[in-house]
Amino acid sequence: MDGMSTRGILNAAAGRGKFSLSRYEPSPPLQPFVEHYWIVRYDLNAETPFTQTVLSYPNVHLAFEHDHEGRRAFLYGIPRRPFVRELSGAGRVFGVRFRAGGFYPFWQRNVSLLTGTTVAASELFGRDADEWTSVILDAGDDAEMARQAELALSTRLPRRDPQAELAGRIVQETMNDRSIMKVEQLSELTGLSIRQMQRLFRKYVGVTPKWVIKRFRLQEAAEHLEQDESAQWAELATQFGYFDQAHFIKDFKSVLGQTPAAYKSRISAE
């Protein structure tokens, strides 16, 4: 996948040769809002369709797509479950991954309204969305696609929002600090009450602090299973703060789409 990080792409090794993935960093003016741009290209005309699962992260995406069904632009809210996409024929997708909290300044509405949904990009960007779709998808190489997206978003550059950026920093800290297992810990770290943090996340991120903690810790548990063949999911349950294995199994399945045992079995079979 062009040597790029594939974190969040479930069973990434199976996708090698099926599609290419490249990423580009935003320019400084857009960095408070955009985490990166990503481009997926695939050509499976002589092959059977390929199904790829992408784990859910607390990020909204704007995607410009071109496949056998035509061209379109969508806003993807944070998925409640792993995002499953079947690739068939040939196509390409250019995506904008907004930072946690970074989409709100464009949207100016409660981001949780988008959670679990997909809406036409025109709902936010109006007729510009159709023009951007053509300009970006016709740009040629990946770097030029990213440049055209930069130009497009720069025409709608919003004001920075301190509260949105606070929410983003808390999400980043949750991802980086593996010792964070409970919302109470975030409350102590930030000085915000649990209720204040819940309101902050609902408005600016789109999901709850508990959702974010659970996603990051269980995705780490999956990485342990994938990278260490000797890892036992029962031990991981305790390591990641679960004293009830049934609860761990239920949460793992909600994040990864399968039980720890099935996940480990699939890895061992590859």
Side-chain angles (χ1 to χ4, degrees), residues 31-35 58-60 78 97-109 111 158-172 200-207 212:
Q31 284 176 3
F33 314 104
V34 174
E35 191 167 294
N59 305 86
V60 173
I78 299 169
R97 174 165 160 152
F98 292 94
R99 293 187 182 279
F103 181 67
Y104 177 85
F106 290 92
W107 182 245
Q108 289 295 316
R109 281 185 274 172
V111 178
R159 291 184 179 180
R160 294 176 64 169
D161 187 313
Q163 287 296 101
E165 292 181 21
L166 170 62
R169 288 195 298 272
I170 297 173
V171 169
Q172 189 67 35
L200 182 77
F201 271 53
R202 185 166 54 248
K203 181 175 181 178
Y204 293 103
V205 182
V207 288
V212 171

Side-chain angles (χ1 to χ4, degrees), residues 38-73:
W38 53 269
I39 303 99
V40 167
R41 295 178 183 270
Y42 56 94
D43 188 348
L44 304 175
N45 281 319
E47 304 178 45
T48 57
F50 177 75
T51 300
Q52 180 63 61
T53 301
V54 180
L55 304 183
S56 51
Y57 276 78
N59 305 86
V60 173
H61 290 256
L62 167 62
F64 300 90
E65 309 176 15
H66 185 194
D67 58 20
H68 64 280
E69 295 182 355
R71 297 182 173 198
R72 53 202 175 276

Side-chain angles (χ1 to χ4, degrees), residues 138-157:
D138 289 339
D141 63 32
D142 293 352
E144 183 61 17
M145 291 173 79
R147 193 180 78 84
Q148 291 298 331
E150 283 264 309
L151 293 173
L153 288 175
S154 294
T155 66
R156 296 292 193 95
L157 193 66

Side-chain angles (χ1 to χ4, degrees), residues 5-9 23 57 175 178 216 219-220 223:
S5 169
T6 55
R7 186 177 187 189
I9 299 177
R23 292 176 180 164
Y57 276 78
M175 182 174 70
R178 299 190 173 196
F216 285 144
Q219 285 165 8
E220 287 167 14
E223 288 172 9

